[in-house]
Amino acid sequence: MRKLAAGNWKMNGTAASLAEVQALIAAHPAPGCEMLLCPPATLIAQANWAARGSILALGGQDCHAKASGAHTGDLSAAMLKDAGAAYVILGHSERRADHGETDALVHAKAEAAVAAGLVPVVCVGETEAQRDAGETLAVIGAQLDGSVPAASTAATLVLAYEPVWAIGTGRTPTLEQIAEVHAFLRDRLTARIGAEAAGVRLLYGGSVKPSNATEIFAVPHVDGALVGGASLKAADFGAIVAALSAA
Ligand code: PEP
């Protein structure tokens, strides 16, 4: 399995930010893991051009469940693919919270993404209140069952565990907590899609930074990271890529 370092720029970045893409590629021309950046959709085509000939893949941060039609302001998976994307993040907690996205909608979007030739990076994760209530595994299991298409394979799915309370907060679960959830996700995914689950990359996301990446990547069933804030600077994201390459 080739591990995956994925960056999520969220609603950050303009054309000037493409310098960070170029710096990342220049510093890591042949990393020992796959590198993915998901900039705002407005930058995918330009970032793809900047990344031509390199190992860097581009991705979107969301797509519509329909292939085309009267959906003002939305983007289809095929449009992202056309712009140069190979992946799309789906069901990020910010989409679930800000736009009321349900597991059923994430499932439909994941099917649309695969139909268009994109690999969905499906996100699951508990809130702090859910963790405090001892509901973490139940919540994540239900999200997985509801969001992941049953026909998924190792080539058509990446799954990201992102505790909501760890995103953008500087707080992270203990290594034991990450290990517990990732082992659970591997088992639950096996129950859902069968033996293909062994090859699906399970990413940890939530305040990953250069200073904690190495210890997180040593946790069993952590096959990479989904990185928000620390992916905006090539130096920080590059350090995380280096840590994953060495893991
Ligand atoms: C994210 O938004 O996917 C994320 C993990 O953010 P951060 O790394 O900033 O916590």
Side-chain angles (χ1 to χ4, degrees), residues 59-92:
Q61 300 174 11
D62 176 49
C63 69
H64 199 278
K66 295 267 167 52
S68 63
H71 302 289
T72 302
D74 282 317
L75 296 172
S76 72
M79 290 170 181
L80 296 176
K81 172 97 173 159
D82 186 54
Y87 291 83
V88 60
I89 298 169
L90 294 176
H92 190 283

PDB file of all heavy atoms in Angstrom, residues 59-92:
ATOM      1  N   GLY A  59      -6.865  17.483  -5.853  1.00  0.00           N
ATOM      2  CA  GLY A  59      -8.203  17.019  -5.518  1.00  0.00           C
ATOM      3  C   GLY A  59      -9.133  18.176  -5.221  1.00  0.00           C
ATOM      4  O   GLY A  59      -8.691  19.293  -4.942  1.00  0.00           O
ATOM      5  N   GLY A  60     -10.443  17.903  -5.275  1.00  0.00           N
ATOM      6  CA  GLY A  60     -11.452  18.869  -4.867  1.00  0.00           C
ATOM      7  C   GLY A  60     -11.789  18.674  -3.403  1.00  0.00           C
ATOM      8  O   GLY A  60     -11.337  17.723  -2.753  1.00  0.00           O
ATOM      9  N   GLN A  61     -12.607  19.589  -2.871  1.00  0.00           N
ATOM     10  CA  GLN A  61     -13.001  19.528  -1.454  1.00  0.00           C
ATOM     11  C   GLN A  61     -14.456  19.114  -1.266  1.00  0.00           C
ATOM     12  O   GLN A  61     -14.929  18.955  -0.146  1.00  0.00           O
ATOM     13  CB  GLN A  61     -12.783  20.892  -0.805  1.00  0.00           C
ATOM     14  CG  GLN A  61     -11.339  21.363  -0.854  1.00  0.00           C
ATOM     15  CD  GLN A  61     -11.182  22.780  -0.322  1.00  0.00           C
ATOM     16  OE1 GLN A  61     -12.100  23.345   0.271  1.00  0.00           O
ATOM     17  NE2 GLN A  61     -10.018  23.358  -0.540  1.00  0.00           N
ATOM     18  N   ASP A  62     -15.161  18.972  -2.383  1.00  0.00           N
ATOM     19  CA  ASP A  62     -16.577  18.586  -2.363  1.00  0.00           C
ATOM     20  C   ASP A  62     -17.008  18.438  -3.815  1.00  0.00           C
ATOM     21  O   ASP A  62     -16.344  18.957  -4.718  1.00  0.00           O
ATOM     22  CB  ASP A  62     -17.431  19.678  -1.689  1.00  0.00           C
ATOM     23  CG  ASP A  62     -18.915  19.351  -1.740  1.00  0.00           C
ATOM     24  OD1 ASP A  62     -19.272  18.210  -1.389  1.00  0.00           O
ATOM     25  OD2 ASP A  62     -19.703  20.223  -2.137  1.00  0.00           O
ATOM     26  N   CYS A  63     -18.076  17.720  -4.068  1.00  0.00           N
ATOM     27  CA  CYS A  63     -18.702  17.734  -5.394  1.00  0.00           C
ATOM     28  C   CYS A  63     -20.195  17.507  -5.210  1.00  0.00           C
ATOM     29  O   CYS A  63     -20.643  17.085  -4.134  1.00  0.00           O
ATOM     30  CB  CYS A  63     -18.096  16.687  -6.320  1.00  0.00           C
ATOM     31  SG  CYS A  63     -18.479  14.975  -5.871  1.00  0.00           S
ATOM     32  N   HIS A  64     -20.950  17.773  -6.247  1.00  0.00           N
ATOM     33  CA  HIS A  64     -22.394  17.515  -6.225  1.00  0.00           C
ATOM     34  C   HIS A  64     -22.642  16.032  -6.496  1.00  0.00           C
ATOM     35  O   HIS A  64     -21.783  15.354  -7.097  1.00  0.00           O
ATOM     36  CB  HIS A  64     -23.087  18.382  -7.279  1.00  0.00           C
ATOM     37  CG  HIS A  64     -24.560  18.535  -7.039  1.00  0.00           C
ATOM     38  ND1 HIS A  64     -25.479  17.588  -7.421  1.00  0.00           N
ATOM     39  CD2 HIS A  64     -25.258  19.533  -6.430  1.00  0.00           C
ATOM     40  CE1 HIS A  64     -26.692  17.991  -7.071  1.00  0.00           C
ATOM     41  NE2 HIS A  64     -26.586  19.169  -6.458  1.00  0.00           N
ATOM     42  N   ALA A  65     -23.784  15.556  -6.042  1.00  0.00           N
ATOM     43  CA  ALA A  65     -24.117  14.145  -6.280  1.00  0.00           C
ATOM     44  C   ALA A  65     -24.627  13.886  -7.696  1.00  0.00           C
ATOM     45  O   ALA A  65     -24.636  12.739  -8.154  1.00  0.00           O
ATOM     46  CB  ALA A  65     -25.167  13.691  -5.268  1.00  0.00           C
ATOM     47  N   LYS A  66     -25.046  14.959  -8.372  1.00  0.00           N
ATOM     48  CA  LYS A  66     -25.566  14.802  -9.736  1.00  0.00           C
ATOM     49  C   LYS A  66     -24.459  15.092 -10.744  1.00  0.00           C
ATOM     50  O   LYS A  66     -23.519  15.825 -10.464  1.00  0.00           O
ATOM     51  CB  LYS A  66     -26.733  15.761  -9.956  1.00  0.00           C
ATOM     52  CG  LYS A  66     -27.947  15.458  -9.092  1.00  0.00           C
ATOM     53  CD  LYS A  66     -28.914  14.554  -9.834  1.00  0.00           C
ATOM     54  CE  LYS A  66     -29.983  13.947  -8.943  1.00  0.00           C
ATOM     55  NZ  LYS A  66     -30.711  14.898  -8.121  1.00  0.00           N
ATOM     56  N   ALA A  67     -24.602  14.545 -11.936  1.00  0.00           N
ATOM     57  CA  ALA A  67     -23.573  14.709 -12.966  1.00  0.00           C
ATOM     58  C   ALA A  67     -23.628  16.081 -13.615  1.00  0.00           C
ATOM     59  O   ALA A  67     -22.608  16.594 -14.100  1.00  0.00           O
ATOM     60  CB  ALA A  67     -23.723  13.618 -14.018  1.00  0.00           C
ATOM     61  N   SER A  68     -24.820  16.684 -13.682  1.00  0.00           N
ATOM     62  CA  SER A  68     -24.965  18.005 -14.301  1.00  0.00           C
ATOM     63  C   SER A  68     -26.371  18.513 -13.963  1.00  0.00           C
ATOM     64  O   SER A  68     -27.165  17.780 -13.355  1.00  0.00           O
ATOM     65  CB  SER A  68     -24.805  17.913 -15.831  1.00  0.00           C
ATOM     66  OG  SER A  68     -25.839  17.104 -16.375  1.00  0.00           O
ATOM     67  N   GLY A  69     -26.648  19.742 -14.358  1.00  0.00           N
ATOM     68  CA  GLY A  69     -28.019  20.225 -14.208  1.00  0.00           C
ATOM     69  C   GLY A  69     -28.130  21.567 -13.526  1.00  0.00           C
ATOM     70  O   GLY A  69     -27.148  22.305 -13.391  1.00  0.00           O
ATOM     71  N   ALA A  70     -29.350  21.884 -13.105  1.00  0.00           N
ATOM     72  CA  ALA A  70     -29.677  23.200 -12.562  1.00  0.00           C
ATOM     73  C   ALA A  70     -29.324  23.261 -11.076  1.00  0.00           C
ATOM     74  O   ALA A  70     -30.180  23.113 -10.205  1.00  0.00           O
ATOM     75  CB  ALA A  70     -31.163  23.480 -12.785  1.00  0.00           C
ATOM     76  N   HIS A  71     -28.038  23.427 -10.782  1.00  0.00           N
ATOM     77  CA  HIS A  71     -27.556  23.474  -9.394  1.00  0.00           C
ATOM     78  C   HIS A  71     -26.544  24.618  -9.286  1.00  0.00           C
ATOM     79  O   HIS A  71     -25.327  24.397  -9.243  1.00  0.00           O
ATOM     80  CB  HIS A  71     -26.924  22.128  -9.004  1.00  0.00           C
ATOM     81  CG  HIS A  71     -27.872  20.983  -9.162  1.00  0.00           C
ATOM     82  ND1 HIS A  71     -28.942  20.774  -8.337  1.00  0.00           N
ATOM     83  CD2 HIS A  71     -27.935  20.013 -10.107  1.00  0.00           C
ATOM     84  CE1 HIS A  71     -29.627  19.716  -8.732  1.00  0.00           C
ATOM     85  NE2 HIS A  71     -29.041  19.235  -9.807  1.00  0.00           N
ATOM     86  N   THR A  72     -27.089  25.822  -9.265  1.00  0.00           N
ATOM     87  CA  THR A  72     -26.260  27.024  -9.316  1.00  0.00           C
ATOM     88  C   THR A  72     -25.196  27.032  -8.209  1.00  0.00           C
ATOM     89  O   THR A  72     -25.519  26.825  -7.044  1.00  0.00           O
ATOM     90  CB  THR A  72     -27.149  28.276  -9.181  1.00  0.00           C
ATOM     91  OG1 THR A  72     -28.104  28.254 -10.242  1.00  0.00           O
ATOM     92  CG2 THR A  72     -26.329  29.557  -9.250  1.00  0.00           C
ATOM     93  N   GLY A  73     -23.979  27.244  -8.623  1.00  0.00           N
ATOM     94  CA  GLY A  73     -22.881  27.355  -7.668  1.00  0.00           C
ATOM     95  C   GLY A  73     -22.210  26.041  -7.334  1.00  0.00           C
ATOM     96  O   GLY A  73     -21.167  26.038  -6.671  1.00  0.00           O
ATOM     97  N   ASP A  74     -22.785  24.937  -7.773  1.00  0.00           N
ATOM     98  CA  ASP A  74     -22.193  23.631  -7.453  1.00  0.00           C
ATOM     99  C   ASP A  74     -21.263  23.149  -8.565  1.00  0.00           C
ATOM    100  O   ASP A  74     -21.289  23.654  -9.688  1.00  0.00           O
ATOM    101  CB  ASP A  74     -23.302  22.601  -7.231  1.00  0.00           C
ATOM    102  CG  ASP A  74     -23.930  22.737  -5.857  1.00  0.00           C
ATOM    103  OD1 ASP A  74     -23.175  22.910  -4.893  1.00  0.00           O
ATOM    104  OD2 ASP A  74     -25.168  22.698  -5.768  1.00  0.00           O
ATOM    105  N   LEU A  75     -20.469  22.153  -8.234  1.00  0.00           N
ATOM    106  CA  LEU A  75     -19.530  21.564  -9.191  1.00  0.00           C
ATOM    107  C   LEU A  75     -19.737  20.058  -9.224  1.00  0.00           C
ATOM    108  O   LEU A  75     -19.883  19.422  -8.181  1.00  0.00           O
ATOM    109  CB  LEU A  75     -18.076  21.855  -8.767  1.00  0.00           C
ATOM    110  CG  LEU A  75     -17.656  23.326  -8.769  1.00  0.00           C
ATOM    111  CD1 LEU A  75     -16.278  23.476  -8.136  1.00  0.00           C
ATOM    112  CD2 LEU A  75     -17.645  23.877 -10.197  1.00  0.00           C
ATOM    113  N   SER A  76     -19.723  19.493 -10.412  1.00  0.00           N
ATOM    114  CA  SER A  76     -19.841  18.037 -10.525  1.00  0.00           C
ATOM    115  C   SER A  76     -18.464  17.389 -10.405  1.00  0.00           C
ATOM    116  O   SER A  76     -17.428  18.039 -10.605  1.00  0.00           O
ATOM    117  CB  SER A  76     -20.466  17.655 -11.867  1.00  0.00           C
ATOM    118  OG  SER A  76     -19.530  17.885 -12.905  1.00  0.00           O
ATOM    119  N   ALA A  77     -18.487  16.103 -10.124  1.00  0.00           N
ATOM    120  CA  ALA A  77     -17.225  15.361 -10.055  1.00  0.00           C
ATOM    121  C   ALA A  77     -16.497  15.404 -11.394  1.00  0.00           C
ATOM    122  O   ALA A  77     -15.266  15.528 -11.439  1.00  0.00           O
ATOM    123  CB  ALA A  77     -17.517  13.915  -9.642  1.00  0.00           C
ATOM    124  N   ALA A  78     -17.273  15.326 -12.493  1.00  0.00           N
ATOM    125  CA  ALA A  78     -16.644  15.357 -13.817  1.00  0.00           C
ATOM    126  C   ALA A  78     -15.946  16.696 -14.063  1.00  0.00           C
ATOM    127  O   ALA A  78     -14.908  16.747 -14.743  1.00  0.00           O
ATOM    128  CB  ALA A  78     -17.694  15.090 -14.895  1.00  0.00           C
ATOM    129  N   MET A  79     -16.510  17.778 -13.537  1.00  0.00           N
ATOM    130  CA  MET A  79     -15.865  19.094 -13.694  1.00  0.00           C
ATOM    131  C   MET A  79     -14.525  19.138 -12.961  1.00  0.00           C
ATOM    132  O   MET A  79     -13.537  19.681 -13.459  1.00  0.00           O
ATOM    133  CB  MET A  79     -16.781  20.195 -13.157  1.00  0.00           C
ATOM    134  CG  MET A  79     -18.012  20.424 -14.005  1.00  0.00           C
ATOM    135  SD  MET A  79     -19.143  21.515 -13.116  1.00  0.00           S
ATOM    136  CE  MET A  79     -20.476  21.596 -14.296  1.00  0.00           C
ATOM    137  N   LEU A  80     -14.510  18.571 -11.750  1.00  0.00           N
ATOM    138  CA  LEU A  80     -13.250  18.525 -10.994  1.00  0.00           C
ATOM    139  C   LEU A  80     -12.221  17.686 -11.740  1.00  0.00           C
ATOM    140  O   LEU A  80     -11.047  18.050 -11.842  1.00  0.00           O
ATOM    141  CB  LEU A  80     -13.491  17.940  -9.602  1.00  0.00           C
ATOM    142  CG  LEU A  80     -14.413  18.739  -8.669  1.00  0.00           C
ATOM    143  CD1 LEU A  80     -14.635  17.973  -7.375  1.00  0.00           C
ATOM    144  CD2 LEU A  80     -13.828  20.123  -8.389  1.00  0.00           C
ATOM    145  N   LYS A  81     -12.675  16.564 -12.270  1.00  0.00           N
ATOM    146  CA  LYS A  81     -11.782  15.688 -13.037  1.00  0.00           C
ATOM    147  C   LYS A  81     -11.236  16.442 -14.252  1.00  0.00           C
ATOM    148  O   LYS A  81     -10.040  16.380 -14.568  1.00  0.00           O
ATOM    149  CB  LYS A  81     -12.575  14.445 -13.458  1.00  0.00           C
ATOM    150  CG  LYS A  81     -11.858  13.526 -14.402  1.00  0.00           C
ATOM    151  CD  LYS A  81     -11.207  12.402 -13.666  1.00  0.00           C
ATOM    152  CE  LYS A  81     -10.644  11.390 -14.645  1.00  0.00           C
ATOM    153  NZ  LYS A  81      -9.615  10.578 -14.029  1.00  0.00           N
ATOM    154  N   ASP A  82     -12.113  17.166 -14.909  1.00  0.00           N
ATOM    155  CA  ASP A  82     -11.732  17.928 -16.100  1.00  0.00           C
ATOM    156  C   ASP A  82     -10.678  18.983 -15.766  1.00  0.00           C
ATOM    157  O   ASP A  82      -9.807  19.290 -16.577  1.00  0.00           O
ATOM    158  CB  ASP A  82     -12.994  18.575 -16.679  1.00  0.00           C
ATOM    159  CG  ASP A  82     -12.747  19.277 -17.986  1.00  0.00           C
ATOM    160  OD1 ASP A  82     -12.208  18.638 -18.913  1.00  0.00           O
ATOM    161  OD2 ASP A  82     -13.087  20.469 -18.090  1.00  0.00           O
ATOM    162  N   ALA A  83     -10.773  19.539 -14.558  1.00  0.00           N
ATOM    163  CA  ALA A  83      -9.812  20.562 -14.135  1.00  0.00           C
ATOM    164  C   ALA A  83      -8.470  19.961 -13.724  1.00  0.00           C
ATOM    165  O   ALA A  83      -7.494  20.680 -13.517  1.00  0.00           O
ATOM    166  CB  ALA A  83     -10.402  21.372 -12.986  1.00  0.00           C
ATOM    167  N   GLY A  84      -8.432  18.639 -13.564  1.00  0.00           N
ATOM    168  CA  GLY A  84      -7.165  18.002 -13.216  1.00  0.00           C
ATOM    169  C   GLY A  84      -7.167  17.255 -11.904  1.00  0.00           C
ATOM    170  O   GLY A  84      -6.131  16.756 -11.466  1.00  0.00           O
ATOM    171  N   ALA A  85      -8.338  17.168 -11.261  1.00  0.00           N
ATOM    172  CA  ALA A  85      -8.400  16.466  -9.979  1.00  0.00           C
ATOM    173  C   ALA A  85      -8.386  14.952 -10.181  1.00  0.00           C
ATOM    174  O   ALA A  85      -8.920  14.436 -11.171  1.00  0.00           O
ATOM    175  CB  ALA A  85      -9.668  16.865  -9.217  1.00  0.00           C
ATOM    176  N   ALA A  86      -7.802  14.269  -9.219  1.00  0.00           N
ATOM    177  CA  ALA A  86      -7.831  12.799  -9.183  1.00  0.00           C
ATOM    178  C   ALA A  86      -8.614  12.315  -7.965  1.00  0.00           C
ATOM    179  O   ALA A  86      -9.025  11.153  -7.925  1.00  0.00           O
ATOM    180  CB  ALA A  86      -6.407  12.251  -9.146  1.00  0.00           C
ATOM    181  N   TYR A  87      -8.779  13.189  -6.994  1.00  0.00           N
ATOM    182  CA  TYR A  87      -9.446  12.853  -5.731  1.00  0.00           C
ATOM    183  C   TYR A  87     -10.488  13.926  -5.414  1.00  0.00           C
ATOM    184  O   TYR A  87     -10.436  15.035  -5.952  1.00  0.00           O
ATOM    185  CB  TYR A  87      -8.442  12.832  -4.563  1.00  0.00           C
ATOM    186  CG  TYR A  87      -7.440  11.716  -4.571  1.00  0.00           C
ATOM    187  CD1 TYR A  87      -6.268  11.798  -5.330  1.00  0.00           C
ATOM    188  CD2 TYR A  87      -7.637  10.582  -3.776  1.00  0.00           C
ATOM    189  CE1 TYR A  87      -5.329  10.761  -5.314  1.00  0.00           C
ATOM    190  CE2 TYR A  87      -6.704   9.559  -3.748  1.00  0.00           C
ATOM    191  CZ  TYR A  87      -5.555   9.654  -4.522  1.00  0.00           C
ATOM    192  OH  TYR A  87      -4.635   8.635  -4.491  1.00  0.00           O
ATOM    193  N   VAL A  88     -11.384  13.607  -4.486  1.00  0.00           N
ATOM    194  CA  VAL A  88     -12.254  14.632  -3.926  1.00  0.00           C
ATOM    195  C   VAL A  88     -12.560  14.273  -2.464  1.00  0.00           C
ATOM    196  O   VAL A  88     -12.880  13.132  -2.153  1.00  0.00           O
ATOM    197  CB  VAL A  88     -13.551  14.802  -4.744  1.00  0.00           C
ATOM    198  CG1 VAL A  88     -14.379  13.520  -4.809  1.00  0.00           C
ATOM    199  CG2 VAL A  88     -14.408  15.950  -4.197  1.00  0.00           C
ATOM    200  N   ILE A  89     -12.380  15.267  -1.583  1.00  0.00           N
ATOM    201  CA  ILE A  89     -12.755  15.090  -0.165  1.00  0.00           C
ATOM    202  C   ILE A  89     -14.276  15.152  -0.073  1.00  0.00           C
ATOM    203  O   ILE A  89     -14.899  16.044  -0.660  1.00  0.00           O
ATOM    204  CB  ILE A  89     -12.135  16.216   0.694  1.00  0.00           C
ATOM    205  CG1 ILE A  89     -10.603  16.173   0.633  1.00  0.00           C
ATOM    206  CG2 ILE A  89     -12.616  16.112   2.141  1.00  0.00           C
ATOM    207  CD1 ILE A  89      -9.939  17.421   1.234  1.00  0.00           C
ATOM    208  N   LEU A  90     -14.864  14.219   0.648  1.00  0.00           N
ATOM    209  CA  LEU A  90     -16.328  14.206   0.814  1.00  0.00           C
ATOM    210  C   LEU A  90     -16.687  13.995   2.278  1.00  0.00           C
ATOM    211  O   LEU A  90     -16.020  13.228   2.983  1.00  0.00           O
ATOM    212  CB  LEU A  90     -16.947  13.103  -0.045  1.00  0.00           C
ATOM    213  CG  LEU A  90     -16.819  13.294  -1.562  1.00  0.00           C
ATOM    214  CD1 LEU A  90     -17.393  12.085  -2.301  1.00  0.00           C
ATOM    215  CD2 LEU A  90     -17.504  14.572  -2.035  1.00  0.00           C
ATOM    216  N   GLY A  91     -17.738  14.672   2.717  1.00  0.00           N
ATOM    217  CA  GLY A  91     -18.219  14.486   4.079  1.00  0.00           C
ATOM    218  C   GLY A  91     -17.311  15.063   5.139  1.00  0.00           C
ATOM    219  O   GLY A  91     -17.353  14.631   6.308  1.00  0.00           O
ATOM    220  N   HIS A  92     -16.478  16.055   4.758  1.00  0.00           N
ATOM    221  CA  HIS A  92     -15.669  16.735   5.774  1.00  0.00           C
ATOM    222  C   HIS A  92     -16.608  17.302   6.841  1.00  0.00           C
ATOM    223  O   HIS A  92     -17.719  17.737   6.538  1.00  0.00           O
ATOM    224  CB  HIS A  92     -14.861  17.856   5.119  1.00  0.00           C
ATOM    225  CG  HIS A  92     -13.835  18.454   6.030  1.00  0.00           C
ATOM    226  ND1 HIS A  92     -14.159  19.337   7.036  1.00  0.00           N
ATOM    227  CD2 HIS A  92     -12.500  18.279   6.106  1.00  0.00           C
ATOM    228  CE1 HIS A  92     -13.059  19.683   7.680  1.00  0.00           C
ATOM    229  NE2 HIS A  92     -12.038  19.056   7.142  1.00  0.00           N
TER     230      HIS A  92
END
